[in-house]
Amino acid sequence: MQSLAVRSSGVEPDPHRQPVADGQPVADQTEDSEPSLDDPELGAGNIRHRAVTGAVVDTLRAIGVRGVGVLGTLVTARLLTPYDFGLVAVGATILAFGDFLDDGGLGPALIRRPEAPARKELRALLAFQLALDVLIVVLVGLVMLPFGELGEVTTLIVISLPLGALRVPATIIYERRLDYRPMAVVEIVSTAVYFAWAIALIVVGWGVWALATAYIVRELVASVLMLILLREGRVLPVPSFTTIRPMLRFGVRYQATQLAHMLRDQGVNIAVATFGGVAMLGLWQIAWKILQIPIALFQALWRVAFPGMSRLVAAGEDLGPTIERVMGLVAIGTCAMLAPLAASAVPWIHILLGTRWSGAAPSIPPACFAMMFGVPISVALSGYLWAVGLAEVPLRAALFGIPAVGVIMLPLLPAFGIVAVGLGYIGSAAVESALFIYAARQTTSFTFFARVAVPVAAGALAIACGWLVARWVGPDLAGALASSVTAGAVFLGLLAAVHRSALAEAWRLIWRGMRGAMARSLDAPAHAQPKPAAG
């Protein structure tokens, strides 16, 4: 806690003092002759401006990548067989798990630190990731190659892991600068190249190998583009466990938090299949895929909140007012997105998937309600807690959230069916939110109830109104549109009546972010920067 007290005091750190991270000394950056890899003059006002712009840019990136992905998948699905896609799915699953393991959370450890990373730290990190990636490729090859074509396709896909590691130093630098525009361009372009390569080679007869090799091409293109765009990111791997070791404590806890959430979601699937049957699991999987649409957009908020909070902590800011503001604004955006989705779930599923999947719809409103209050608190506080070095709190919250799902879901499954799954996620979100709030209040002061309760209450009422309209109109296109519009109108109308200033602020922030995304400079004009007292 000593390092936190220094950061929060507003006192400039001694540039000749060896910095401390999680109680361990980090590399002395004076050993490197290169200038700092961070922007030298990044004040609190510009940090906030860049964070808002970054959230908008990363949201647009997610939309762009998913749009390209949908179009590419529609074309490739017509050219390949389900068996081919099944082969690729196995490799993609192992690749995703390897990608999760390969950095050990060391990249986030450097992103959240007040001090800029030294080049020798980036070289050591790159060497660590390349070594781990090569080890994963070798192990996957040894295990999978005896399985014939499945093993060969899987191994070829996993070979793309080391290529992706090459751009990790550049990604760390960009995230510390809160500059998400180059990364968005690189990801959209590399996704487009992936599908262009795959489609072209499928047409000439490569079949499933076209998709497998496309993974390698995508990672190669993305890494080359990133290194072209950022000269500072071009480092050579130099192994040094002494340099890596101080990052491991934070990194392991950071990764363990993500793993706990993965285990929770997989545990829910196992429990539903065991106590509700395979058919109910199929319904929940459809509902889960629908919920991934807003979750993919919320990822932009989580991604930007972490480095944004880290930079504000390093600047010695009192983050209580900022936390309150972030909670309120994210709550408005989250509820505005989720209320129409939850209200119109029945008619949209009926139209797009058919009546046999209508049973998936009842689980969506309670799951959306869980996100309505859970996402704003998580976005504001998980990034803050990671930034101040309290990585054990998000991990503890994730671990306690796992039994919370089971305690609520399992007894209710026989009586309430798939609705119990959504109710279980409400319990998990409540437990995690309570632990976040308690821990964060030990280090800074803020209020949360008024900021979050009004949008959530308005969102819940909007869902109920839209749901009633859907039942009255019917499960057709008219019902889907009417329920969506009703829920959105009720939510915005209630906020305009009782929370007008917050609604206006949310709109101004979105507009500012859009303008920042299109502007030539990352930073706000001097006259447009908010005063520090505004939080």
Side-chain angles (χ1 to χ4, degrees):
M1 297 304 293
Q2 181 180 3
S3 61
L4 173 59
V6 172
R7 296 174 204 161
S8 300
S9 67
V11 179
E12 290 293 327
D14 181 359
H16 300 293
R17 180 181 62 84
Q18 192 175 23
V20 174
D22 281 311
Q24 301 236 12
V26 299
D28 185 358
Q29 297 180 35
T30 60
E31 293 179 12
D32 282 83
S33 59
E34 296 88 352
S36 171
L37 297 174
D38 286 344
D39 284 352
E41 300 293 338
L42 188 57
N46 278 332
I47 291 173
R48 292 186 175 91
H49 178 76
R50 289 192 183 189
V52 171
T53 300
V56 171
V57 169
D58 208 50
T59 300
L60 295 175
R61 174 204 59 79
I63 294 172
V65 169
R66 286 190 172 270
V68 173
V70 168
L71 292 176
T73 301
L74 289 175
V75 176
T76 54
R78 291 179 176 273
L79 299 173
L80 294 176
T81 67
Y83 177 78
D84 292 330
F85 272 90
L87 291 176
V88 173
V90 173
T93 301
I94 296 177
L95 176 66
F97 189 68
D99 195 45
F100 168 77
L101 292 176
D102 70 348
D103 74 344
L106 303 184
L110 288 180
I111 291 172
R112 73 102 187 166
R113 206 178 65 189
E115 300 83 10
R119 291 185 68 85
K120 72 174 183 180
E121 292 176 310
L122 295 178
R123 290 193 289 263
L125 174 60
L126 178 58
F128 178 85
Q129 289 205 231
L130 286 174
L132 189 56
D133 286 343
V134 170
L135 177 62
I136 292 172
V137 171
V138 171
L139 292 176
V140 169
L142 291 174
V143 172
M144 296 299 298
L145 284 176
F147 290 92
E149 187 179 30
L150 172 62
E152 294 167 358
V153 169
T154 299
T155 304
L156 186 60
I157 290 173
V158 176
I159 286 175
S160 64
L161 266 179
L163 295 174
L166 297 176
R167 65 179 181 275
V168 167
T171 299
I172 291 172
I173 296 171
Y174 273 133
E175 294 227 27
R176 286 187 61 88
R177 296 177 180 179
L178 295 169
D179 185 2
Y180 289 87
R181 290 188 291 191
M183 292 186 287
V185 171
V186 166
E187 190 165 349
I188 293 173
V189 169
S190 61
T191 302
V193 170
Y194 167 88
F195 282 107
W197 175 277
I199 292 170
L201 293 188
I202 291 172
V203 170
V204 300
W206 280 40
V208 69
W209 299 103
L211 280 180
T213 55
Y215 280 90
I216 296 177
V217 172
R218 182 183 65 185
E219 295 303 318
L220 180 61
V221 168
S223 294
V224 169
L225 286 177
M226 191 76 87
L227 297 180
I228 290 174
L229 291 173
L230 187 66
R231 181 182 60 82
E232 296 94 325
R234 305 170 198 167
V235 299
L236 295 175
V238 179
S240 174
F241 184 74
T242 302
T243 303
I244 290 295
R245 185 171 54 191
M247 312 175 202
L248 286 174
R249 183 183 175 194
F250 175 88
V252 169
R253 287 176 291 175
Y254 182 91
Q255 291 294 82
T257 303
Q258 317 308 315
L259 181 60
H261 283 122
M262 291 172 58
L263 293 175
R264 178 199 62 190
D265 296 336
Q266 294 304 315
V268 167
N269 292 336
I270 294 172
V272 171
T274 302
F275 297 99
V278 176
M280 186 181 292
L281 176 60
L283 293 175
W284 169 243
Q285 286 303 296
I286 290 297
W288 183 246
K289 288 182 181 297
I290 293 172
L291 292 170
Q292 292 306 301
I293 298 172
I295 289 175
L297 300 181
F298 298 151
Q299 292 292 339
L301 302 177
W302 278 304
R303 182 178 183 181
V304 175
F306 177 34
M309 287 291 186
S310 299
R311 299 311 303 272
L312 288 173
V313 168
E317 285 286 297
D318 175 14
L319 290 186
T322 298
I323 288 172
E324 294 177 6
R325 188 182 183 202
V326 170
M327 279 188 187
L329 294 173
V330 173
I332 291 174
T334 300
C335 294
M337 184 183 304
L338 293 175
L341 172 64
S344 60
V346 170
W348 280 121
I349 290 177
H350 182 88
I351 293 168
L352 298 176
L353 300 177
T355 55
R356 66 181 181 276
W357 296 106
S358 297
S363 65
I364 293 179
C368 285
F369 182 77
M371 288 191 284
M372 281 181 175
F373 69 86
V375 168
I377 293 173
S378 175
V379 167
L381 295 184
S382 64
Y384 169 76
L385 291 167
W386 276 325
V388 298
L390 298 177
E392 69 276 5
V393 177
L395 175 57
R396 189 182 306 128
L399 293 175
F400 277 93
I402 294 175
V405 175
V407 166
I408 294 176
M409 180 182 69
L410 295 180
L412 297 180
L413 269 176
F416 292 90
I418 197 171
V419 177
V421 185
L423 296 175
Y425 273 97
I426 292 178
S428 177
V431 169
E432 291 189 22
S433 298
L435 291 174
F436 279 148
I437 292 168
Y438 176 79
R441 279 184 163 177
Q442 307 306 305
T443 58
T444 190
S445 299
F446 61 91
T447 59
F448 72 94
F449 186 79
R451 289 279 191 168
V452 177
V454 173
V456 171
L461 184 58
I463 291 174
C465 293
W467 188 274
L468 291 174
V469 169
R471 289 180 61 88
W472 177 58
V473 177
D476 53 17
L477 182 59
L481 294 175
S483 57
S484 298
V485 171
T486 298
V490 168
F491 175 72
L492 294 177
L494 288 172
L495 277 189
V498 301
H499 217 40
R500 182 175 301 177
S501 60
L503 182 61
E505 184 183 12
W507 169 249
R508 287 196 300 269
L509 207 62
I510 293 172
W511 178 246
R512 188 189 307 164
M514 294 293 293
R515 291 181 61 184
M518 302 301 175
R520 180 172 298 179
S521 172
L522 279 175
D523 297 326
H527 63 83
Q529 292 190 23
K531 298 178 181 179

